[in-house]
Amino acid sequence: MPDDLREGRIVIVGASLAGLRAAETLREEGFTGSLTVIGDEPHPPYDRPPLSKQVLLGRMAADSAALPMRRDPDAEWRLGVRATGLDPVGKQVLLADGESVTYDRLLIATGTRARPWPNADEAALDGVFTLRTRDDAGRLTKRLAAGPRRVLVIGGGFTGSEIASACRERGIEVTLAERGPGPLVGALGGTLSMLAAGLQRAHGVDLRCGVTVTALRGNGRFTGADLSDGSRIDADVCVVAMGAVRNTEWLAEAGLAAGPRGVACDAGCRAFNMYGIVTDDVFVAGDAARFPHPLFEYQMLSLEHWGNAVTQAEVAAHNMVSPEPARRPHLAVPVFWSSQFGLNIKSVGVPTFSDQVVIAQGSLDERRLVAVYGYRGRITAAVTVDMAKWLEYYQGLIETAAPFPPGPGAADGRPLVAAFPVPSNVPDPKGLFHGPTVALTGHLPDRRLTVVRPAD
Amino acid sequence: MQIVVDLTRCQGYAQCVFLAPEVFELHGEEALLYNPAVPDDQLDRVRQAATACPVQAILLGKEVSAGAR
Ligand SMILES: Cc1cc2nc3c(=O)[nH]c(=O)nc-3n(C[C@H](O)[C@H](O)[C@H](O)COP(=O)(O)OP(=O)(O)OC[C@H]3O[C@@H](n4cnc5c(N)ncnc54)[C@H](O)[C@@H]3O)c2cc1C
Ligand code: SF4
C-alpha cells in the first residue's frame, strides 16, 4: 500500500447510491489515485425510492431517475459487468467477463436484490414481478397501465404497501397478502400496523393478514394464487414484495464475514474477516453492510435505508483515505421515510429495538401522530405520520438516551396524548412475508458464519 | 440535469412546490413527489427551489454519463 492513502488504486463494487456517493467523497477528501466503479446493472447510478412511488403512479418514466452527481468523481465506470469473486491475497476483484481489477483498497457496495418467489416455475409465469431495479419498475408500470383486473401483492412491508397504494390510486383492484398480523408490523410493531391496516382497507385494499400464499397459478400466464386459508385470488398481475436479499454471494470465497445478513464491519466501515478480525483494506457501505451501533447496545444493524447508504458511504470513503487517528465512526441514527396512501411516514432510530410504544402527539384516528418507542426505560425510536417536522426533536432524545416514556410536555408543551405506553409488539421476522428495513442481527461478527445458498 | 431530494431531511415545508410546481408536488399533507429529470425550461425555478429549501435537501447535478469508462 502506498504511504500516502490519497494515492493508489481504489475499486468500488456496486454502482448505485452508496457507490456513487463514496466515489465523490473520495475525491472531495483529496484522493488523486485511480478509481474504478464496477456495477452489474447496465445503467449509470439511479435512485430507487421513486420506483415504487412516482414511477408506478405514472408520474415519471422508470428510466428518468438517474442520480445527480455532487461532482464528477473522475472514475472509470465498468457498467454491465458483475464481480464474481474476490482474491484478498492477490488483491483482485474478479469479473464475469474474465478480467480482473487490482486494488489497494476496496469498497463493497453491492446492496440487496428483491427476494424472489421461492418456486422458480411459478416465479417465471408471465405477470409475476419483483421490484428493485428501474427495469423491474418499467415492466410493472407498463402492466399496470394496461389495466389489469386485479393485482396481488405478496408482502406487506414498505415496498408492498407502496405498490398497493399506487395501484389503488390508479383505480386498480388490489389484494395484499401478508403472513404476519398486519402490514408494516415487522418495521413498526403492532400499534402502527393497526393504523396501516385501517388505512389500506379505507383505500379499498383487499387486505389478507395471517395467511400464506401457497401457490401461484397459471399456464404460462399468471391467473391467480392459492392462500393457506383455502381461498383463491383471481388476479392477472402478482408482485412479490417479500423483502431483500444481500448481494454477498460473490464474496463466498473471500474469507470475509459475509453472509445473508450482509458483510459485517466495524464502526469505521472496515470489513471483518471470517475470524472476526478487522481488515484494513476492505470497506463496506450501504444496504450490503452490517455494523455495530452503540445506541442499540452495539448490536449489528442491517439497514435498507437511503439515508444510511449516503452517510455510511461518506464515512467509509473518508476512512479509506485517512490515517488511523483521523478516522471517523459511522454513528448516524437510522432515518427512513415512506409515502403511501397520501401519508408521509418517517422513522428515526430502530423501532424494532423496543418493548413499549406510546402515542406522544396526534392520534391514530387523525392519522397524524408521533409514536415514541422505548426499550427498558429509554427512548430508542420515533415514527411520525404527517408530522415530519418533529422527527429531529425526537432524534435528539434518542441520541441522548432520554427516559421513556417522554415526560408530559416533552414535545410542544402539551400533555402526552396517551399517557399509557403499550407493548410495541414487534414480531419475530421469521413469521412475516416482509422483512423489516432495519434488522438487529446480533452482537458478534462471526454470528453470520452461515452457509450462503444462492436463492436461484 | 437531474435532481434528488434527501427525503430523510425534507420536512415538507413546500417552498420547492411553490417555486417549481411543475417539478415538485405534495401528495397529501406532506409527502413530497418530484420529477428527478428536470426539463430545461424548469432549471431556473429548480435552482431557486434548491436555494430556498430550508433544510438544503435538494441536490441538482449531472448524471454519470452513460458509456463513461
Ligand atoms: C422500490 C424501492 C423503494 C425504496 N424506497 C425507499 C424509501 O422510501 N426510503 C428509504 O429510506 N429507502 C428506500 N429504498 C431503499 C434504498 O433505495 C436503498 O437503501 C439504497 O438503494 C441502498 O443503496 P446501495 O447503494 O447500498 O445499494 P443498491 O442500491 O442495492 O445498489 C447496489 C448495486 O450493486 C450492484 N451489484 C450487486 N452485486 C454486484 C456484483 N457482484 N457486481 C457488480 N455489481 C453488483 C447492484 O446491481 C446495484 O446496482 C427503496 C428501495 C427500493 C428498491
Ligand atoms: S423545500 Fe425542501 S424541505 Fe420543503 S418540501 Fe421542498 S425539499 Fe422538502
Side-chain angles (χ1 to χ4, degrees), chain A residues 20-21 44-45 47 50 53-54 57 59-60 64-70 75-78 99 169 306-307 335-337 339 342-344 346 368 384-389 391-392, chain B residues 1-14 23 25-38 55 57-69:
Chain A
L20 173 62
R21 292 295 174 249
D47 206 29
K53 306 174 184 78
Q54 294 98 302
L57 287 171
R59 294 237 174 62
M60 61 174 269
S64 64
L67 280 165
M69 293 185 283
R70 288 200 303 235
E76 181 183 345
W77 296 88
R78 304 199 50 167
E99 290 187 37
E169 199 165 331
W306 191 96
V335 181
F336 179 85
W337 86 90
S339 58
L343 295 187
N344 185 27
K346 293 183 91 165
R368 223 177 102 80
T384 63
V385 177
D386 274 1
M387 291 187 87
K389 292 179 184 67
L391 210 68
E392 221 175 292
Chain B
M1 292 288 260
Q2 296 286 128
I3 50 167
V4 67
V5 179
D6 181 347
L7 290 168
T8 57
R9 243 194 280 171
C10 165
Q11 302 196 340
Y13 286 112
V23 175
E25 86 181 280
L26 276 189
H27 200 47
E29 295 286 309
E30 61 170 48
L32 185 71
L33 295 185
Y34 62 95
N35 188 348
V38 182
V55 290
I58 304 170
L59 172 69
L60 176 73
K62 289 203 180 85
E63 66 184 279
V64 171
S65 57
R69 247 211 90 133

Side-chain angles (χ1 to χ4, degrees), chain A residues 168-454:
Chain A
R168 288 309 299 138
E169 199 165 331
R170 297 184 73 136
I172 302 168
E173 297 296 328
V174 54
T175 299
L176 189 148
E178 168 54 50
R179 188 159 68 178
L184 308 186
V185 68
L188 304 182
T191 302
L192 281 184
S193 177
M194 264 162 35
L195 178 134
L199 197 63
Q200 298 209 357
R201 294 206 163 102
H203 281 83
V205 176
D206 168 33
L207 177 65
R208 314 279 185 102
C209 299
V211 293
T212 308
V213 176
T214 51
L216 307 184
R217 298 275 174 215
N219 193 354
R221 222 190 153 97
F222 173 75
T223 54
D226 298 339
L227 303 187
S228 55
D229 62 3
S231 60
R232 197 200 140 102
I233 308 288
D234 289 318
D236 25 31
V237 173
C238 171
V239 193
V240 178
M242 294 174 38
V245 188
R246 261 85 199 158
N247 292 319
T248 53
E249 292 82 355
W250 69 284
L251 297 166
E253 306 290 316
L256 293 173
R261 293 171 152 187
V263 183
C265 63
D266 72 357
C269 312
R270 296 181 300 180
F272 286 109
N273 73 12
M274 63 185 185
Y275 305 115
I277 300 172
V278 76
T279 62
D280 207 30
D281 50 2
V282 181
F283 293 72
V284 204
D287 283 10
R290 194 173 157 245
F291 64 98
H293 203 302
L295 278 175
F296 309 102
E297 296 184 345
Y298 292 96
Q299 281 213 53
M300 306 291 279
L301 294 184
S302 295
L303 304 181
E304 294 164 40
H305 293 182
W306 191 96
N308 180 67
V310 174
T311 49
Q312 197 169 23
E314 289 168 351
V315 173
H318 169 87
N319 291 344
M320 289 174 90
V321 296
S322 305
E324 189 87 54
R327 287 188 174 158
R328 290 203 314 248
H330 173 54
L331 299 178
V333 182
V335 181
F336 179 85
W337 86 90
S338 166
S339 58
Q340 44 184 284
F341 304 103
L343 295 187
N344 185 27
I345 303 176
K346 293 183 91 165
S347 89
V348 60
V350 181
T352 51
F353 190 80
S354 66
D355 46 25
Q356 290 193 305
V357 62
V358 67
I359 308 265
Q361 292 171 255
S363 70
L364 289 173
D365 289 342
E366 286 169 81
R367 292 190 180 135
R368 223 177 102 80
L369 59 85
V370 182
V372 179
Y373 295 71
Y375 182 69
R376 295 189 182 166
R378 71 182 172 92
I379 297 174
T380 51
V383 172
T384 63
V385 177
D386 274 1
M387 291 187 87
K389 292 179 184 67
W390 286 102
L391 210 68
E392 221 175 292
Y393 170 79
Y394 288 97
Q395 179 169 340
L397 296 185
I398 297 166
E399 281 165 345
T400 51
F404 178 90
D412 52 359
R414 288 186 300 153
L416 284 183
V417 191
F420 302 105
V422 297
S424 60
N425 285 336
V426 176
D428 181 339
K430 285 196 205 80
L432 306 174
F433 261 155
H434 62 280
T437 54
V438 189
L440 296 157
T441 61
H443 289 274
L444 299 171
D446 65 350
R447 278 261 312 255
R448 40 81 6 242
L449 265 179
T450 5
V451 179
V452 183
R453 262 177 280 122

Side-chain angles (χ1 to χ4, degrees), chain A residues 20-39:
Chain A
L20 173 62
R21 292 295 174 249
E24 294 162 345
T25 308
L26 287 169
R27 295 301 186 199
E28 279 156 16
E29 300 261 347
F31 178 67
T32 56
S34 82
L35 180 56
T36 307
V37 189
I38 298 160

